[in-house]
Amino acid sequence: MTSELRTAGIVSRLIAAVIDVVIVAAVLGGGYLGTTLLLFALDVRTFTFPQIGWWFTTTGFVVASFLYLALCWMSTGRTIGAVMMGLRVVRISGRRLHVAQAVLRAAACVAFPIGLFWVVLSPKRLSLQDTVLRTTVVYRTTPQQTTRRGARVDAFPLSESGD
């Protein structure tokens, strides 16, 4: 990993994760509200609030979380929580994640969120998911950085060559 990238600690990662959980919950809540309003508009006289089982809610939350994380990490390496906290998920080399890494990392984070707390014990500030998938969370740098000699370099090149 390049020395210019600073690895994020547990506090900023945890705050970003909480923001992301709130966003997913808000999206699901909006879906419920939209469904409720539609049912109300279709039949006002016999309207009742829809009853949703815990299994449906849990499954919906897991699927929505997975899709949210995978799509964000595949496209920019950043969720909304990460943007707010100034974080980015990258490969150990500092480059963008491969699609497979983003998908596997999303699945691992949803299935085993407690793995985040390994950051506290890891000397390199890596979660269990980071360790297994060779990723890390860094404080975002500007898209272009200046080297000591004044040359401009792309911090997150779009080209995947050289790996």
Side-chain angles (χ1 to χ4, degrees), residues 17-29:
V18 168
I19 291 168
D20 292 333
V21 165
V22 168
I23 288 168
V24 170
V27 168
L28 292 176

Side-chain angles (χ1 to χ4, degrees), residues 2-146:
T2 62
S3 60
E4 298 162 1
L5 300 178
R6 259 185 352 131
T7 308
I10 187 67
V11 174
S12 52
R13 286 179 182 222
L14 194 56
I15 292 170
V18 168
I19 291 168
D20 292 333
V21 165
V22 168
I23 288 168
V24 170
V27 168
L28 292 176
Y32 176 80
L33 181 61
T35 302
T36 302
L37 290 174
L38 178 65
L39 292 173
F40 179 74
L42 292 174
D43 193 358
V44 175
R45 288 187 289 168
T46 61
F47 171 77
T48 59
F49 282 94
Q51 299 298 315
I52 299 175
W54 66 269
W55 59 270
F56 184 79
T57 304
T58 302
T59 303
F61 185 79
V62 167
V63 170
S65 296
F66 168 76
L67 291 173
Y68 171 73
L69 293 173
L71 292 172
C72 287
W73 290 336
M74 280 190 287
S75 60
T76 64
R78 306 177 80 191
T79 62
I80 295 171
V83 169
M84 294 176 76
M85 295 306 298
L87 306 175
R88 180 183 302 270
V89 179
V90 295
R91 289 185 266 166
I92 292 293
S93 66
R95 293 178 153 289
R96 287 187 147 168
L97 297 183
H98 290 293
V99 171
Q101 279 179 308
V103 169
L104 290 172
R105 191 174 199 282
C109 288
V110 170
F112 193 67
I114 197 94
L116 171 65
F117 291 99
W118 187 254
V119 170
V120 175
L121 302 173
S122 169
K124 294 182 180 179
R125 295 171 143 183
L126 300 176
S127 69
L128 287 178
Q129 293 88 341
D130 290 330
T131 303
V132 170
L133 297 169
R134 301 192 41 79
T135 61
T136 188
V137 178
V138 297
Y139 291 102
R140 185 182 184 282
T141 57
T142 57
Q144 286 195 343
Q145 298 174 341
T146 306

Side-chain angles (χ1 to χ4, degrees), residues 147-163:
T147 64
R148 288 185 190 177
R149 297 185 183 170
R152 296 192 66 107
V153 294
D154 190 358
F156 298 99
L158 297 177
S159 156
E160 296 299 323
S161 61
D163 280 86

